[in-house]
Amino acid sequence: MTPPDASHNRWSDLDRPPLNATALRRGLLRPDTLWASLEIVESTGSTNTDLAERARAGAAAEGTVVVAEEQTAGRGRLERSWTAPPRSGLFFSVYLEPGDIPVERWGWVPLLAGVAAATGLAKSAGVDMSLKWPNDLLVSVEGEERKTGGILGEFAGDGIVVGLGINVSLRADELPAPTAGSLALAGAVSTDRETLLRAVLRSMEHWYGAWKAAGGDAAASGLQAAYAAGCATLDRTVRAELPGGASLVGEAVAIDGDGRLVLSTEDGLQQPVSAGDIVHLRGAAGGLT
């Protein structure tokens, strides 16, 4: 009898056990909570793509969560790819329907997910997390800032799909780029993915509930202040690479009420940036980052 191919055996890497859907549902799905359903798939191209298709077809309720043990075509901002070894991270998407919250305030939802992920992971993994505007999760590995996660939001159906990819147990030789990191490499006290996922989803439920209760007002809900407090981009000289090829250099001085990054430029103007790639040029100590 030919033994099964170890590469397709979900128990082939004992350091990376599969997620237990039953346990996660028991801990997260209750009548008084946001989360309505949770599905775990062994492998898919992109949880965001899958969930967005369901939402557009009217087949996703608010609070639907789709988790993949492996993503083969994960997407980041600007259609960048996001791949990692199976069961080495958290790859999941959630569907939210802000309802009567003005659509112009929905741009806060991916930033809200960033705050939720950073606070949830800091508590459950014991790792100091920070946010790079607009949607990167950073950790410190050997004294250097490294990206360990990213967030992607997209409108779909009557709501918004928010996807998160978080490197949990990636080893140094598995990192996709020198600037990447993982919770394990940052010294996490726990890399149990079920514990981490529950913490992130509970934190997201808290912040989403507060934001909705405040009518989508990020200041009144405390979201704006929480994002600013955890944002590593503020108080640094940065270069904003804007859509269309233009760029803008200045000191990042604030996150405004619309979730935009405000840059103070050399000519004394304060310029809000609503979209673009941000490059950290200098930190508070003057070092290149």
Side-chain angles (χ1 to χ4, degrees), residues 107-282:
W108 270 103
V109 175
L111 302 182
L112 181 156
V115 170
T119 54
L121 293 172
K123 292 178 181 178
S124 57
V127 171
D128 188 23
M129 308 287 299
S130 59
L131 300 162
K132 179 184 175 186
W133 188 91
N135 55 6
D136 287 348
L137 295 164
L138 305 180
V139 294
S140 177
V141 178
E142 298 180 350
E144 294 184 357
E145 280 184 345
R146 302 283 189 88
K147 177 179 176 178
T148 195
I151 299 160
L152 178 67
E154 57 185 297
F155 294 114
D158 294 324
I160 182 170
V161 173
V162 183
L164 292 88
I166 301 164
N167 293 336
V168 175
S169 64
L170 265 74
R171 300 177 278 269
D173 61 351
E174 296 174 319
L175 296 175
T179 55
S182 69
L183 297 179
L185 292 173
V189 297
S190 173
T191 56
D192 180 88
R193 292 183 303 142
E194 291 176 25
T195 298
L196 303 178
L197 181 59
R198 284 195 298 268
V200 171
L201 288 176
R202 286 170 179 160
S203 181
M204 190 178 297
E205 178 179 22
H206 163 76
W207 282 108
Y208 182 65
W211 177 76
K212 283 193 72 176
D217 187 323
S221 65
L223 178 59
Q224 183 178 2
Y227 191 94
C231 183
T233 303
L234 293 179
D235 301 322
R236 296 172 113 147
T237 299
V238 304
R239 181 175 68 251
E241 298 175 348
L242 307 174
S247 65
L248 181 67
V249 174
E251 181 184 357
V253 295
I255 304 295
D256 73 9
D258 295 319
R260 299 177 299 181
L261 181 68
V262 180
L263 300 186
S264 178
T265 61
E266 289 184 350
D267 55 12
L269 297 177
Q270 292 204 341
Q271 179 70 45
V273 176
S274 59
D277 271 359
I278 300 297
V279 179
H280 289 175
L281 298 177
R282 295 187 182 278

